[in-house]
Amino acid sequence: MAANTLIIDLPSVDATADFAIQIGAKLTMGDTLLLAGDVGAGKTFFARALITSLLIEAEDIPSPTFTLVQTYDTRSGPLWHTDLYRLSSYYEIEELGLVDAMIDAICLIEWPDRLGEYTPQNALNIALSAGTSDDARSMVVSWTDPRWNDAMKDWQND
């Protein structure tokens, strides 16, 4: 199945947060976003904006860099925010419970290259990189699952 790809320029942190919020509004249990990019590319900022927009009650959104997984109760169901940077083996994915979470929850996964054979084929892939200014980001969004066609239609004609 061919991949659909969009390149989206986000000129400010507000634009990045707005995109995250709009995607978050379309998420349902079983959806996975794979957030790729170098350190400092904006993966955690993107995840925080998305999670904050879905929370039932406001709470602090720490980076999962050291805890590996942070879970949240949201209006759209349980949400797992994971950072796999420190994993030494993709077998640890199963130990974390992430395999089941990708079915039973919404998952935001930073450093998805660590997933190996557990990489879900139905995920929305988001690769962030630095833009033309300190606050700007460039985003490459790709997917193969037709489920994402409708969710991404607002950006396909930009």
Side-chain angles (χ1 to χ4, degrees), residues 73-94:
D73 291 321
T74 74
R75 290 186 292 279
S76 300
L79 185 147
W80 284 44
H81 179 201
T82 65
D83 184 326
L84 305 180
Y85 184 76
R86 295 182 326 113
L87 290 189
S88 57
S89 166
Y90 72 89
Y91 295 111
E92 293 173 277
I93 307 293
E94 221 172 273

Side-chain angles (χ1 to χ4, degrees), residues 16-87:
T16 302
D18 288 345
F19 183 88
I21 291 165
Q22 289 177 40
I23 289 296
K26 299 175 187 299
L27 297 177
T28 60
M29 288 177 29
D31 286 341
T32 298
L33 300 185
L34 303 178
L35 304 173
D38 293 336
V39 172
K43 298 178 299 293
T44 301
F45 176 85
F46 180 94
R48 280 186 179 127
L50 189 153
I51 294 165
T52 299
S53 74
L54 295 178
L55 287 176
I56 296 167
E57 291 186 28
E59 62 180 280
D60 186 37
I61 312 291
S63 170
T65 299
F66 295 103
T67 59
L68 301 181
V69 176
Q70 294 290 137
T71 60
Y72 303 93
D73 291 321
T74 74
R75 290 186 292 279
S76 300
L79 185 147
W80 284 44
H81 179 201
T82 65
D83 184 326
L84 305 180
Y85 184 76
R86 295 182 326 113
L87 290 189

Side-chain angles (χ1 to χ4, degrees), residues 81-136:
H81 179 201
T82 65
D83 184 326
L84 305 180
Y85 184 76
R86 295 182 326 113
L87 290 189
S88 57
S89 166
Y90 72 89
Y91 295 111
E92 293 173 277
I93 307 293
E94 221 172 273
E95 292 175 19
L96 288 172
L98 190 54
V99 174
D100 290 334
M102 287 188 275
I103 297 166
D104 300 330
I106 296 166
C107 290
L108 307 180
I109 302 174
E110 297 186 39
W111 301 98
D113 58 309
R114 309 302 203 266
L115 286 170
E117 67 185 44
Y118 295 114
T119 303
Q121 298 304 304
N122 63 342
L124 184 66
N125 298 281
I126 298 174
L128 290 155
S129 60
T132 57
S133 70
D134 288 346
D135 290 343

